[in-house]
Amino acid sequence: MEVIAFYTFAIAIIASFLIVVTSKNVLYSMSALASGMVLISGLFFLLNAEFLGVVQIIVYTGAVIALYAFAMIFFDSAKDVKESRRSRAIFLLSTFSSILLVLLMTIPMSSDAVSALYPMHQDVGNAQDVGMVLFTKYLIPFEVAAVMLLVAMVGGIVMAGKKMDRYLGNDKEEISK
Amino acid sequence: MITLEDYIVLATLLFMIGLYGVIVRTNLLMLFFATEIMLNSVNIALVAISNYYEDLTGQMFAFFIIAIAASEVAIGLGLLILWYKRHGNIDLNTLKSMKG
């Protein structure tokens, strides 16, 4: 059962993310990204991380994709994007470097010296467990993250909302309007 | 039975897709999408490790990565909208104001 679920989710995620990076249309790309995010939350549920699965749906598909969708108002999203192709050598190099990077990060796990710093409790649910660790061991990072989100919100409002009623470009015809 | 390695391989594949997107796309919005893919692939790896070692630290890091991704999108889209208003496109090749 777990095997079927894993492979179904994995193939669906890879397919939708391939659409994201290869599609010519921004709207198709964004829809595929949203579906990929929802499918990733399925993987989180499979990994007994219910809290993160819910957060993934709420934050990524609810907030991030909605933010992108609203930002589409400002861009010409209906027409296809024209892009200059880059060389194939860079692609091969990036493949090798990403494999190398992941190996660098994951090889230390094969050591036996890895032990749990904050072990899970079997008698309580995942959300409760996450809450206990988050509000005791990770309280300061949590508060800093809250301040960071506030700063990001203010920055986003200031930059996107600046002079919304006026044209900022350097096109002469638009300025004379 | 699904092992930790399967999840790591999946995360690697998704990371490669994201990196491919970052390398190939020149539209800045598409570049942002590719960045989201890379962040998500790292989240999968962290949560999988957290589950198989029965340790909550991975989930904590995934949680903070989600928070960072949210603020990155807010700031990045603000800058992108500002750039689009001034220059009329968001192609990476037009961002050459630093060129001597």
Side-chain angles (χ1 to χ4, degrees):
Chain A
M1 190 63 208
E2 195 196 353
V3 177
I4 298 167
F6 173 78
Y7 282 109
T8 313
F9 279 128
I11 291 166
I13 289 169
I14 289 173
S16 52
F17 280 170
L18 276 176
I19 293 171
V20 173
V21 293
T22 52
S23 171
K24 286 245 167 250
N25 192 312
V26 180
L27 286 177
Y28 292 165
S29 198
M30 195 184 65
S31 312
L33 188 68
S35 78
M37 299 293 186
V38 175
L39 291 165
I40 280 180
S41 82
L43 275 188
F44 286 173
F45 287 118
L46 212 59
L47 284 165
N48 302 317
E50 294 92 7
F51 179 71
L52 263 180
V54 173
V55 166
Q56 172 85 12
I57 293 180
I58 293 174
V59 173
Y60 266 114
T61 39
V64 170
I65 300 292
L67 206 60
Y68 279 128
F70 278 112
M72 291 297 165
I73 296 167
F74 295 96
F75 307 119
D76 300 333
S77 48
K79 66 181 181 193
D80 291 358
V81 289
K82 283 195 212 70
E83 287 174 315
S84 51
R85 293 282 127 207
R86 299 200 188 170
S87 73
R88 215 172 164 74
I90 299 176
F91 169 59
L92 287 173
L93 274 177
S94 75
T95 310
F96 285 125
S97 56
S98 64
I99 292 172
L100 204 66
L101 196 67
V102 174
L103 279 180
L104 270 177
M105 296 297 179
T106 51
I107 283 280
M109 286 192 322
S110 57
S111 146
D112 294 328
V114 179
S115 63
L117 191 60
Y118 302 120
M120 289 176 186
H121 301 96
Q122 297 302 328
D123 49 332
V124 296
N126 175 259
Q128 199 178 349
D129 220 359
V130 166
M132 282 196 291
V133 175
L134 191 63
F135 291 115
T136 53
K137 308 291 180 192
Y138 286 90
L139 185 60
I140 301 291
F142 184 76
E143 306 258 339
V144 173
V147 174
M148 181 187 71
L149 281 169
L150 179 70
V151 169
M153 189 188 77
V154 172
I157 291 169
V158 165
M159 280 187 294
K162 197 161 67 180
K163 297 173 189 162
M164 263 200 166
D165 51 336
R166 236 190 302 166
Y167 181 73
L168 287 174
N170 40 20
D171 189 359
K172 292 282 189 296
E173 278 180 38
E174 286 285 336
I175 291 168
S176 60
K177 267 183 198 170
Chain B
M1 194 60 207
I2 300 293
T3 56
L4 178 57
E5 281 74 22
D6 292 328
Y7 281 100
I8 298 292
V9 166
L10 174 66
T12 313
L13 277 174
L14 294 181
F15 193 84
M16 276 163 59
I17 292 172
L19 199 67
Y20 170 76
V22 168
I23 299 275
V24 166
R25 306 316 292 258
T26 54
N27 186 291
L28 273 174
L29 209 55
M30 296 295 199
L31 222 69
F32 269 49
F33 292 163
T35 320
E36 298 295 333
I37 293 173
M38 287 164 80
L39 285 168
N40 267 292
S41 76
V42 173
N43 272 354
I44 291 175
L46 282 173
V47 174
I49 292 165
S50 153
N51 184 43
Y52 281 94
Y53 281 95
E54 303 203 333
D55 182 11
L56 280 170
T57 317
Q59 289 185 32
M60 292 295 122
F61 270 85
F63 185 73
F64 288 117
I65 285 176
I66 289 176
I68 287 169
S71 39
E72 171 248 325
V73 167
I75 293 282
L77 275 178
L79 285 170
L80 219 57
I81 288 167
L82 209 60
W83 183 267
Y84 188 77
K85 275 188 199 164
R86 282 178 201 276
H87 298 271
N89 64 2
I90 44 170
D91 198 87
L92 197 60
N93 293 327
T94 58
L95 265 80
K96 283 183 178 167
S97 54
M98 292 278 276
K99 196 179 174 187

